[in-house]
Amino acid sequence: MGWPVIDNLNATLAEAVASNRQGTILRVRETGGIVSYPVRFTGMDDRYVEVRAIDPVDEAFKGVSGSQLLLDGSPVGMVLTTGDGSVNAYRHDALSHLVARFFQTSGPTQLPPSSLPVEPHDGLAIVTERTAIREEPSQWSEVVRWLSVGQSVEVTGKVAGLPWWQTREGYLRVRSTTMR
């Protein structure tokens, strides 16, 4: 509750990486004080964001695991690891999805992704951007394997109401493919 959400975080982070935008890591010291470290966005994937310290002094980044990564004052991740001026953070949307599963106590429940209806569909999907085949039709599901641009995979179905193709190995996002 009260955890702010950025709409379309994927596009926001992609733009931040492409333009090497500046962000901030907020660290709470043992004494209760807050320290702010400026960083630049350098990379991302479905679960993680990579930033680099603007001040290359690596000593400043010891003990920042668990700190918030901010972009324009809004949380976009939680710091996991640091090294050689590089910082890896778990993305805010992926973390929210992971945490929310533990707090759903009542109300309507969703069907598990593997129980969603799949419409039969035969074809060949050609990957238009590096993408993962996942165990379930969810961007937070475990990766079965990664596909590179230009690779193709046989499609056996389309998940009803969701942008996912079913393959023999798992699922891949429709937006990352073109059909042949």
Side-chain angles (χ1 to χ4, degrees):
M1 297 296 291
W3 179 292
V5 175
I6 296 175
D7 291 328
N8 202 1
L9 182 59
N10 202 56
T12 301
L13 289 174
E15 186 276 325
V17 169
S19 61
N20 201 31
R21 287 193 40 207
Q22 184 172 331
T24 306
I25 291 177
L26 285 184
R27 175 181 177 218
V28 178
R29 293 185 180 202
E30 301 83 25
T31 59
I34 296 177
V35 181
S36 173
Y37 299 109
V39 294
R40 295 232 180 254
F41 286 80
T42 57
M44 63 172 270
D45 64 20
D46 290 352
R47 292 186 188 180
Y48 303 100
V49 180
E50 181 185 87
V51 295
R52 291 199 74 61
I54 290 177
D55 180 4
V57 179
D58 194 39
E59 289 296 316
F61 285 89
K62 289 191 176 190
V64 297
S65 293
S67 298
Q68 278 192 339
L69 173 62
L70 305 176
L71 177 62
D72 297 330
S74 295
V76 294
M78 182 182 76
V79 175
L80 292 176
T81 61
T82 64
D84 298 325
S86 178
V87 177
N88 289 310
Y90 203 70
R91 281 178 52 158
H92 179 39
D93 51 359
L95 183 60
S96 293
H97 177 76
L98 184 65
V99 171
R101 295 187 309 184
F102 293 99
F103 294 100
Q104 184 175 356
T105 58
S106 64
T109 58
Q110 291 183 324
L111 286 172
S114 58
S115 299
L116 293 170
V118 176
E119 302 161 348
H121 188 90
D122 292 325
L124 199 60
I126 300 170
V127 176
T128 56
E129 63 183 59
R130 185 172 184 265
T131 192
I133 294 179
R134 298 194 175 272
E135 289 179 355
E136 302 286 340
S138 165
Q139 66 183 7
W140 296 284
S141 174
E142 291 296 318
V143 173
V144 173
R145 75 178 170 113
W146 285 94
L147 299 171
S148 299
V149 173
Q151 279 187 291
S152 61
V153 64
E154 182 182 350
V155 171
T156 58
K158 165 75 175 69
V159 179
L162 294 176
W164 291 88
W165 295 117
Q166 183 182 44
T167 70
R168 294 186 197 288
E169 297 174 82
Y171 301 86
L172 71 149
R173 301 236 4 196
V174 169
R175 72 175 168 88
S176 304
T177 65
T178 187
M179 290 300 290
R180 177 165 34 133

